[in-house]
Amino acid sequence: IMFTRILFSFVLALSAIFSYGQDVTSIRFDSSVLDMGNFPSDSCVVTKEFSFTNTGSAKLYFYSSSPDCACVKVALPKKPIAPGKKGSFKVTLDASSKSSGLFTSWVYFHTNTSPDRYRMRLYATKVDVHEGVETVLIRFLEGVIVFQTIASV
């Protein structure tokens, strides 16, 4: 009887693995990082939308997201994305407790793709803005120098 139970458990586990593998698809993100950009220190909550494409042949599901920081919230698509279709998710950063300067964090996604987990780096820069002063910010991101002017208030 013990051997039968072990064999049954093994067969059940194998069938679960193979049935799960049939719904695997692939994804292409429009950007390899989550660049939230630069924002003035007096506006501490920033939301940005990021796009992706289901490049596989099965529906794409986002099971979960796990940011490294509690200050980052991710709103994933609620419905599956059909093969060949684009989708998006929103990322909100509440930087009220963060000091000025560059902020980085990791966001992890769990999907029905292969590999099934993705890690994306989030970048944001909180800039002190002083009355009557224009700030020019220079960042080096993904091999590109980014210039951005933040107007005075």
Side-chain angles (χ1 to χ4, degrees):
I1 283 198
M2 182 59 104
F3 176 76
T4 306
R5 286 183 185 171
I6 292 173
L7 183 61
F8 176 76
S9 298
F10 179 74
V11 170
L12 184 63
L14 279 178
S15 65
I17 290 170
F18 286 114
S19 66
Y20 175 77
Q22 292 174 353
D23 291 335
V24 172
T25 190
S26 57
I27 189 171
R28 187 186 78 242
F29 292 97
D30 289 357
S31 175
S32 60
V33 296
L34 303 173
D35 185 5
M36 301 296 285
N38 306 318
F39 58 95
S41 56
D42 59 350
S43 82
C44 292
V45 178
V46 180
T47 299
K48 193 166 179 184
E49 193 166 359
F50 297 93
S51 299
F52 58 87
T53 303
N54 178 352
T55 56
S57 58
K59 290 181 180 178
L60 172 64
Y61 295 90
F62 277 86
Y63 300 129
S64 65
S65 65
S66 304
D68 270 354
C69 180
C71 62
V72 177
K73 304 292 183 220
V74 180
L76 296 173
K78 302 231 184 280
K79 295 182 179 180
I81 308 302
K85 298 296 182 186
K86 290 186 78 70
S88 65
F89 56 92
K90 288 185 181 178
V91 177
T92 300
L93 169 64
D94 181 355
S96 55
S97 65
K98 303 297 176 195
S99 58
S100 294
L102 179 65
F103 170 77
T104 64
S105 181
W106 289 103
V107 179
Y108 301 89
F109 297 96
H110 182 205
T111 65
N112 65 319
T113 59
S114 180
D116 66 341
R117 299 191 193 271
Y118 290 90
R119 178 176 80 161
M120 296 182 79
R121 187 69 134 168
L122 180 140
Y123 292 92
T125 305
K126 186 175 181 179
V127 180
D128 282 329
V129 178
H130 305 285
E131 191 171 336
V133 177
E134 229 177 50
T135 303
V136 177
L137 186 66
I138 302 171
R139 293 193 302 161
F140 187 71
L141 182 63
E142 286 192 87
V144 177
I145 296 176
V146 179
F147 294 90
Q148 182 178 4
T149 302
I150 298 188
S152 61
V153 287

